[in-house]
Amino acid sequence: MSNWIEQGIGAYQIAEEIGQGGMAVVYRAYQPQLDRWVAIKILQATETRGKQFLSRFRREARAIAALRHPNILTIYDYGEEHGIAYIVMEYVSGGTLKARLTGQPMEWPDVATLIIPVGRALAYAHSQNIVHRDVKPANILLARPDWPLLGDFGLVKLIGRQRGITKPGVSIGTPAYFSPEQAAGEDVDHRTDIYGLGIVLYELLTGRLPFEAESPIDMMLRRLRDVPTPPRRLNPRIQPQLEDIILKALVRDPAARHPTMEALVNELARVPGATGRVAQPTPQTRAPASATARLGALSPVTGSRLIVTGTGAVLPLPQQREVLVGRADPQAPQLDVDLGPHGGGQAGVSRRHARLLRTPDGWLLEDLQSTNGTFLNSAPVQPGQPVPVRTGDIIRCGQLTLLFYED
């Protein structure tokens, strides 16, 4: 069936087409049993004739279904009916990041709010031996203006499989966001996603792609032989530190890029402004005096402390055995460290998010069953399982990144 509008498949009633790719069409559909809208990706009928493509489609469903991350699109169901295969996914009404692009540069805090969570989603996927291979604005959906969801793992490659689904010399993906190794039809690994995220960063901050040409072939050839124009030439407001990170991600040789997605994300999190636009305190709520301190600036603050990356706000830890971290709530016990005035609400920090415990051997960090998780140097911290914290460690509460220091 070529036209699915107002038709049914499985338990779903299809309403309208919302996207189309080389192998599949995506529709908005209604699920009566749960009274909700979903997105359904239906494999093109011509593709279902090939067992290889159908096997690939099943693999996509299993790969996405196994992923659990707040910045990865949720898959609900998979089915095959009359030779047609389909995936049922979360429906996101906010559209894609591509629709937000105007050809004009975006400000770094706005870019960081979108790209750093996507980078963390990719880092998580890589930890599950999954490479996305098609990182681009069209595959980043916006549940909210500040909540990106990475979708369309249709080109995933499971690391370690002996047989790929593409033949040697055949490239898959989107040419404008290809890595050089993709353009050359070579085998790829997690570093191709680092390159793809670097291109998205470049485009958001400059309003242009690093390699532009008249045809996809010319575009791919350019990235095999040319180096990108330094982004600060196109947007002088880009910080030198940020430019260095972007250019490293876009190095032609994969071995010269960041070794992991975690490494790239951690570098981005240290760029001033990376926490996004910090919420201004209301007249009734004054920000701590330490909120004006900046990284690298002289400060009278000593002892144990947390530093909000991007703004440089210094949050001293009180001299007590247990320090509660979260967002202030009039109905809950008073917090020792309130992240609300530092963008905690937008970053998904829970009211009672985490706890720091002072012991004779040093500090321990424990998650308090927070909604969006607590992470230490990108590793999740499990509730009820405190882990040691050392000077220079990176703590993330939801999407808010902090540095731990102790004199």
Side-chain angles (χ1 to χ4, degrees):
M1 185 181 298
S2 59
N3 183 11
W4 286 92
I5 307 301
E6 298 184 357
Q7 302 298 319
I9 187 169
Y12 309 93
Q13 297 295 320
I14 294 175
E16 62 177 337
E17 181 180 322
I18 56 176
Q20 189 168 147
M23 295 192 306
V25 180
V26 182
Y27 298 92
R28 182 170 68 97
Y30 181 65
Q31 185 180 12
Q33 295 91 332
L34 295 179
D35 189 23
R36 68 179 177 184
W37 290 99
V38 298
I40 294 186
K41 177 188 285 188
I42 298 180
L43 190 64
Q44 299 277 24
T46 55
E47 301 294 359
T48 61
R49 298 170 188 168
K51 293 183 179 179
Q52 190 177 41
F53 281 97
L54 189 57
S55 174
R56 173 178 173 177
F57 206 61
R58 287 195 198 105
R59 190 178 76 187
E60 174 187 351
R62 295 192 184 106
I64 304 173
L67 298 177
R68 292 291 184 271
H69 191 277
N71 297 107
I72 291 179
L73 192 71
T74 302
I75 182 170
Y76 295 143
D77 193 10
Y78 171 83
E80 295 176 20
E81 185 174 297
H82 306 299
I84 300 297
Y86 60 93
I87 292 176
V88 184
M89 303 169 290
E90 176 182 5
Y91 173 66
V92 179
S93 61
T96 69
L97 178 57
K98 181 179 179 181
R100 280 188 58 180
L101 301 182
T102 64
Q104 298 300 315
M106 293 173 60
E107 297 293 335
W108 164 238
D110 298 323
V111 172
T113 298
L114 299 172
I115 292 303
I116 289 179
V118 170
R120 290 187 177 124
L122 286 166
Y124 166 71
H126 295 171
S127 74
Q128 304 302 304
N129 295 328
I130 294 175
V131 178
H132 190 283
R133 295 208 293 184
D134 199 22
V135 180
K136 59 183 180 181
N139 285 339
I140 300 172
L141 295 92
L142 301 177
R144 293 197 311 258
D146 60 348
W147 183 6
L149 292 170
L150 180 63
D152 201 351
F153 280 73
L155 302 175
V156 296
K157 173 190 175 183
L158 304 187
I159 300 172
R161 285 186 178 267
Q162 295 181 351
R163 292 188 60 189
I165 59 170
T166 56
K167 298 177 182 179
V170 177
S171 299
I172 60 175
T174 305
Y177 301 89
F178 269 169
S179 65
E181 55 269 30
Q182 279 179 297
E186 300 172 355
D187 197 14
V188 302
D189 58 20
H190 67 280
R191 294 170 295 186
T192 205
D193 286 347
I194 291 173
Y195 191 96
L197 194 67
I199 290 187
V200 176
L201 262 172
Y202 189 107
E203 182 178 16
L204 297 183
L205 289 165
T206 67
R208 291 173 49 182
L209 290 166
F211 299 102
E212 295 181 333
E214 295 295 327
S215 69
I217 295 297
D218 290 339
M219 188 178 293
M220 289 191 291
L221 290 176
R222 282 201 60 193
R223 73 194 57 218
L224 290 173
R225 63 173 184 249
D226 299 341
V227 296
T229 301
R232 278 171 52 82
R233 292 187 190 174
L234 304 174
N235 180 5
R237 296 192 303 277
I238 296 174
Q239 302 167 64
Q241 176 186 357
L242 182 54
E243 179 180 69
D244 291 343
I245 295 171
I246 296 170
L247 291 177
K248 183 175 181 179
L250 295 180
V251 172
R252 189 180 301 122
D253 179 7
R257 297 174 202 151
H258 303 82
T260 64
M261 185 63 73
E262 290 95 335
L264 170 58
V265 169
N266 288 341
E267 286 195 25
L268 289 172
R270 292 187 176 97
V271 177
T275 54
R277 301 196 180 281
V278 178
Q280 297 299 318
T282 63
Q284 293 79 20
T285 306
R286 296 185 61 189
S290 60
T292 59
R294 297 284 171 175
L295 285 172
L298 295 176
S299 170
V301 178
T302 58
S304 304
R305 57 200 183 274
L306 298 173
I307 299 178
V308 182
T309 62
T311 66
V314 180
L315 310 176
L317 300 183
Q319 298 296 313
Q320 57 195 48
R321 181 182 179 277
E322 184 176 313
V323 176
L324 190 61
V325 180
R327 287 190 297 121
D329 182 355
Q331 306 301 321
Q334 185 173 359
L335 291 171
D336 301 302
V337 177
D338 182 9
L339 299 179
H342 306 283
Q346 297 92 326
V349 175
S350 298
R351 297 294 186 182
R352 297 179 78 258
H353 196 103
R355 174 166 51 198
L356 285 160
L357 303 170
R358 187 193 296 271
T359 73
D361 297 325
W363 286 93
L364 300 176
L365 173 67
E366 178 185 8
D367 180 72
L368 297 178
Q369 296 184 329
S370 62
T371 301
N372 295 307
T374 303
F375 300 82
L376 179 65
N377 299 322
S378 297
V381 178
Q382 301 301 327
Q385 300 179 25
V387 294
V389 185
R390 302 286 184 261
T391 292
D393 281 349
I394 298 174
I395 298 173
R396 178 160 58 84
C397 296
Q399 301 296 342
L400 188 63
T401 304
L402 311 162
L403 299 179
F404 177 83
Y405 277 94
E406 184 175 31
D407 293 332

